[in-house]
């Protein structure tokens, strides 16, 4: 497993490969099974963008004719040019509407495909659990929802904007070169001098805006993380509302929330300061760009070398060239936010890759067999401390085994290792495939009670008669009438009811091996005994492996193991009464 220092070093190395990694992420969709429709939509959107540039070129030529008609007081030409402009405007509106509509269609299709792929990778190999254990990836929910949405939207928007600006730059550069003429500076004749003026203006502006706003990337990255941390804190309060209310923890929680919000607030102030400087510069840059071409071209106009229409065309062409060359300036804030999004998304994907590699090359070698066997299995913690010394053990099918030990000795960790969740250790273990693990607090998905009872299988997997019988056997008869009711059942049911529902789930699944990690701890001894008796009666061929502290559990298990001082040893068995 990687340490924090190793993760930091790996991230620094990956920063140097940023554009290559973004390219690989971007091209995944365009080589997928949906590439046909994706490329068709992209080409249509690009074509509409080029039509938009052509309309701008037509409007630029229209400027010259229109202002010449005004200068010459030519009413017929003026009327014709107004009607011509109405036609151009109608086409421009149609192109703008469908360019936006088709771009949004392409964006949501791309986002749906990427989301499906990332959901699969996040849930595969139990990555969603491993990421939480490693703690190197914060707020995966934000990365799967907001970052994927921002990535697809910003990548298309910036990419299409760059293409449109490049085409516009070429088109208007040709026009500007043709209409600007030449100028003599210090005895040197400079052809197309307005083009060179626009180029110099844009280059100086781009360099200055980078100096002014280069901190935006890091600030945007931190702002996204702080906002996600705040949302997570709010969700935690909702999830544990009863415990917080019973503990009168409102003041403590407010202090925690305000601590998280302080990070949001202070980082946002830094963002405001940088964006203020950027706005000062970009606003000034844009305002100067309005009069700059007029000032530069005015000598030729007052010398009578060009007419008013030519001057206005030069001004329009210069504006388009300068705007195209200044794309970096105008898009800098968007580029900074896009870079921050990419950094977060790429680090998340790298964590998923690391999780997949860990699953493919686990430290603990697993196999499937008829019995549960451990061969030199040792377990540890992430910091290297040992929990279990090398142990060999065999549990035959049909055995009922109780695992006990002091709190914190590693009993639950051993069950996690058996289920494939715990990565820290070595050795070999063999576990039958038909196994079910019941934790102390069962997970009940939001939805109908039938779906919660059938989880992780489909809600229609079990017939109504079996479901009703299981609920009655677990003393949950009142819930039969609520099977089709949708609710947040972890808030509706008591801890004891949730554990009885988990036992009913086990009765329905009828696994060959059943692992209970203090799965009846919320029940009194009489209810606990009744449920264990029920399991033995209805699942007579199922092997039971239980973790528990109550001595009353001993009579339901023919074999007992105790984990103590990092050693797993046999304990005297108590025969079932």
């Amino acid at each position: 497993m990687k340490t924090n220092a190793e993760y930091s070093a790996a991230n620094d190395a990956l920063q140097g490969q940023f554009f290559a990694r973004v390219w690989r992420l971007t091209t995944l969709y365009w080589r997928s099974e949906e590439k046909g429709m994706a490329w068709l939509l992209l080409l249509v959107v690009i074509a509409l963008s080029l039509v938009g540039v052509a309309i701008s070129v037509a409007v630029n030529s229209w400027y010259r004719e229109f202002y010449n008609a005004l200068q010459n007081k030519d009413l017929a030409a003026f009327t014709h040019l107004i009607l011509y402009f109405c036609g151009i405007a109608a086409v421009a509106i149609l192109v703008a509407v469908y360019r936006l509509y088709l771009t949004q269609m392409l964006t949501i299709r791309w986002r749906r495909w990427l989301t499906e792929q990332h959901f699969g990778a996040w849930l595969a190999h139990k990555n969603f659990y491993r990421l939480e254990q490693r703690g190197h990836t914060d707020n995966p929910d934000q990365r799967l929802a907001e970052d994927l949405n921002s990535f697809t939207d910003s990548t298309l928007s910036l990419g299409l904007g760059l293409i449109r600006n490049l085409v516009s730059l070429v088109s208007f550069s040709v026009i500007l070169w043709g209409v600007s003429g030449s100028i003599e500076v210090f005895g040197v004749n400079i052809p197309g001098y307005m083009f060179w003026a626009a180029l110099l203006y844009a280059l100086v502006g781009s360099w200055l805006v980078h100096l002014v706003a280069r901190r935006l990337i890091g600030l945007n990255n931190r702002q996204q993380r702080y906002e996600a941390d705040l949302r997570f804190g709010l969700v935690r309060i909702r999830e544990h509302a009863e415990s917080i209310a019973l503990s009168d923890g409102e003041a403590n929680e407010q202090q925690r929330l305000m601590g998280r919000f302080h990070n949001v607030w202070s980082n946002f102030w830094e963002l405001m300061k940088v964006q203020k400087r950027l706005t000062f510069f970009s606003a000034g840059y844009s305002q100067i760009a309005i009069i700059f071409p007029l000032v530069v071209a005015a000598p030729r106009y007052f010398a009578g070398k060009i007419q008013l229409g030519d001057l206005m065309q030069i001004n329009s062409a210069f504006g388009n060239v300068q705007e195209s060359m200044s794309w970096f300036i105008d898009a800098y804030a968007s580029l900074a936010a896009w870079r921050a999004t990419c950094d977060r998304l790429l680090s998340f994907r790298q964590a998923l890759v690391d999780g997949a590699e860990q699953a493919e090359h686990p430290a603990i070698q697993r196999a499937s067999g008829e019995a549960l066997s451990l061969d030199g299995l040792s377990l540890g913690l992430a910091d290297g401390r040992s929990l279990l010394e090398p142990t060999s053990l065999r549990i035959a099918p049909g055995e009922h085994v109780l695992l006990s030990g002091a709190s914190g000795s590693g009993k639950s960790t051993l069950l996690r290792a058996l289920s494939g969740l715990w990565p820290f250790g070595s050795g070999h273990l063999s576990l039958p495939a038909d196994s079910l693990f019941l934790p102390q607090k069962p997970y009940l998905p939001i939805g109908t009670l039938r779906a919660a009872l059938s989880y992780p299988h489909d809600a229609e997997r079990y017939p109504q008669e079996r479901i009703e019988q299981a609920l009655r056997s677990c003393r949950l008869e009142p819930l039969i009438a609520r099977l089709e009711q949708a609710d947040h059942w972890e808030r509706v049911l008591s801890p004891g009811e949730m554990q009885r529902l988990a036992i009913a789930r086990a009765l329905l699944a009828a696994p060959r091996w059943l692992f209970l990690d203090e799965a009846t701890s919320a029940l009194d001894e009489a209810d606990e005994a009744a449920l264990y008796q029920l399991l033995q009666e209805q699942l007579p061929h199922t092997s039971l492996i239980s973790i528990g502290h109550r001595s009353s559990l001993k009579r339901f298990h023919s074999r007992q193991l105790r984990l103590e001082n990092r050693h797993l040893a046999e304990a005297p068995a108590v025969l079932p009464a």
Side-chain angles (χ1 to χ4, degrees):
M1 296 297 296
K2 293 179 180 179
T3 64
N4 288 333
E6 288 172 333
Y7 265 98
S8 178
N11 286 334
D12 291 341
L14 290 172
Q15 288 299 317
Q17 308 168 14
F18 173 76
F19 290 107
R21 296 170 67 216
V22 170
W23 177 255
R24 286 195 296 270
L25 173 59
T26 303
T27 55
L28 286 175
Y29 177 62
W30 307 96
R31 298 197 305 263
S32 70
E33 68 282 358
E34 297 188 13
K35 62 183 178 182
M37 179 58 72
W39 280 105
L40 177 62
L41 285 173
L42 180 62
L43 291 175
V44 172
V45 170
I46 291 176
L48 291 175
S49 298
L50 298 183
V51 172
V53 173
I55 291 173
S56 298
V57 172
V59 170
N60 179 263
S61 300
W62 177 87
Y63 268 119
R64 183 186 66 239
E65 302 297 332
F66 181 74
Y67 280 101
N68 282 338
L70 287 177
Q71 185 178 24
N72 299 328
K73 298 183 175 56
D74 189 340
L75 179 60
F78 174 84
T79 305
H80 170 75
L81 288 168
I82 290 293
L83 295 175
Y84 177 63
F85 180 81
C86 291
I88 293 178
V91 175
I93 293 171
L94 192 64
V95 168
V97 169
Y98 277 95
R99 185 178 65 196
L100 175 62
Y101 177 75
L102 294 178
T103 300
Q104 290 176 334
M105 181 187 298
L106 180 56
T107 301
I108 194 61
R109 289 176 64 93
W110 189 6
R111 181 188 176 187
R112 181 198 56 76
W113 188 88
L114 271 180
T115 299
E116 182 179 353
Q117 299 298 314
H118 282 74
F119 278 178
W122 183 52
L123 295 173
H125 310 297
K126 304 190 187 301
N127 264 332
F128 62 96
Y129 176 81
R130 300 180 194 278
L131 291 181
E132 296 299 324
Q133 293 300 108
R134 291 200 298 265
H136 297 293
T137 306
D138 62 278
N139 303 302
D141 52 320
Q142 179 193 6
R143 306 191 188 211
L144 289 166
E146 294 185 17
D147 287 349
L148 283 176
N149 178 36
S150 178
F151 173 75
T152 52
D153 182 66
S154 298
T155 302
L156 270 180
S157 176
L158 292 170
L160 292 172
L162 179 60
I163 293 174
R164 187 164 56 249
N165 275 277
L166 288 175
V167 175
S168 177
L169 175 62
V170 173
S171 302
F172 283 100
S173 293
V174 173
I175 296 174
L176 185 60
W177 186 280
V179 299
S180 62
S182 61
I183 192 172
E184 188 171 315
V185 179
F186 301 115
V188 178
N189 188 55
I190 302 177
Y193 75 100
M194 291 297 297
F195 169 80
W196 299 112
L199 177 61
L200 180 62
Y201 189 79
L203 288 177
V204 172
S206 298
W207 177 65
L208 290 176
V209 79
H210 176 66
L211 294 180
V212 168
R214 56 186 172 185
R215 291 183 59 212
L216 278 178
I217 295 174
L219 289 172
N220 273 307
N221 204 336
R222 288 196 293 273
Q223 189 69 21
Q224 291 178 13
R225 184 172 73 252
Y226 293 151
E227 295 281 4
D229 288 343
L230 177 61
R231 287 194 299 272
F232 180 72
L234 294 171
V235 171
R236 287 276 296 173
I237 292 177
R238 289 180 56 196
E239 290 179 344
H240 301 278
E242 183 176 355
S243 299
I244 294 171
L246 289 172
S247 303
D248 292 329
E250 294 85 353
N252 187 289
E253 292 301 324
Q254 181 172 3
Q255 183 178 5
R256 292 173 185 272
L257 287 177
M258 289 308 299
R260 292 175 184 263
F261 183 75
H262 175 74
N263 292 332
V264 174
W265 180 84
S266 58
N267 192 77
F268 191 76
W269 268 103
E270 292 300 314
L271 267 172
M272 288 170 54
K273 293 175 184 176
V274 176
Q275 288 177 335
K276 181 181 73 172
R277 292 195 294 268
L278 177 61
T279 304
F280 262 125
F281 179 82
S282 58
Y285 178 86
S286 300
Q287 293 300 318
I288 294 174
I290 297 175
I291 61 170
F292 183 78
L294 295 175
V295 172
V296 176
R300 296 186 67 226
Y301 173 72
F302 288 113
K305 295 181 179 179
I306 56 174
Q307 291 186 315
L308 177 62
D310 298 315
L311 178 63
M312 299 310 297
Q313 185 183 22
I314 290 174
N315 183 61
S316 174
F318 181 94
N320 279 278
V321 171
Q322 175 268 327
E323 182 179 353
S324 299
M325 290 180 176
S326 304
W327 176 83
F328 178 75
I329 297 174
D330 298 332
Y332 196 91
S334 299
L335 283 169
W338 175 80
R339 173 62 189 262
T341 296
C342 290
D343 284 339
R344 292 176 57 79
L345 197 52
L346 290 174
S347 65
F348 178 64
R349 286 177 57 82
Q350 186 60 44
L352 295 180
V353 171
D354 292 341
E357 291 179 352
Q358 178 184 324
E360 291 176 2
H361 305 92
I364 301 174
Q365 303 301 312
R366 298 173 56 83
S368 181
E370 289 298 320
L372 170 60
S373 63
L374 312 181
D375 185 9
L377 179 68
S378 64
L379 299 176
L381 298 174
D383 58 9
R385 287 181 295 163
S386 175
L387 277 178
L388 177 66
E389 295 297 328
T391 300
S392 296
L393 177 73
R394 187 179 188 277
I395 299 176
E399 283 195 276
H400 293 178
V401 179
L402 175 64
L403 176 61
S404 61
S407 179
S409 59
K411 304 182 300 297
S412 297
T413 301
L414 177 56
L415 250 63
R416 293 190 187 103
L418 295 179
S419 66
L421 294 181
W422 194 255
F424 309 107
S426 62
H428 298 76
L429 66 85
S430 176
L431 179 69
D434 187 11
S435 303
L436 178 63
F437 290 80
L438 297 186
Q440 184 175 12
K441 182 180 180 182
Y443 169 68
L444 303 179
I446 298 175
T448 65
L449 183 62
R450 182 188 298 276
L453 186 58
S454 304
Y455 186 84
H457 303 294
D458 186 76
E460 307 303 322
R461 179 183 179 89
Y462 304 110
Q464 180 73 15
E465 297 77 14
R466 283 193 62 193
I467 290 179
E468 292 183 7
Q469 179 186 354
L471 290 176
R472 288 192 183 95
S473 299
C474 296
R475 294 179 47 223
L476 294 171
E477 296 93 337
L479 295 182
I480 294 177
R482 306 173 68 182
L483 282 171
E484 306 306 326
Q485 178 181 335
D487 213 325
H488 194 328
W489 295 105
E490 292 184 4
R491 297 180 179 176
V492 173
L493 303 179
S494 69
E497 288 175 320
M498 291 170 59
Q499 289 189 343
R500 290 205 297 272
L501 191 70
I503 297 295
R505 184 187 287 171
L507 294 177
L508 291 172
R512 298 300 302 274
W513 289 74
L514 181 60
F515 297 82
L516 300 98
D517 185 4
E518 300 190 60
T520 55
S521 59
L523 305 172
D524 58 34
E525 289 189 10
D527 281 343
E528 183 178 60
L531 288 179
Y532 266 93
Q533 188 68 36
L534 178 67
L535 288 172
Q536 291 184 346
E537 290 174 356
Q538 296 199 15
L539 303 177
H541 302 295
T542 296
S543 303
L544 293 181
I545 313 296
S546 303
I547 291 180
H549 294 282
R550 291 175 180 169
S551 59
S552 57
L553 287 176
K554 293 180 179 180
R555 65 191 182 97
F556 298 103
H557 301 82
S558 58
R559 185 178 177 188
Q560 295 175 43
L561 301 172
R562 183 167 182 81
L563 181 56
E564 193 170 26
N565 296 326
R566 302 192 301 277
H567 289 86
L568 186 63
E570 297 278 352
V574 176
L575 294 178

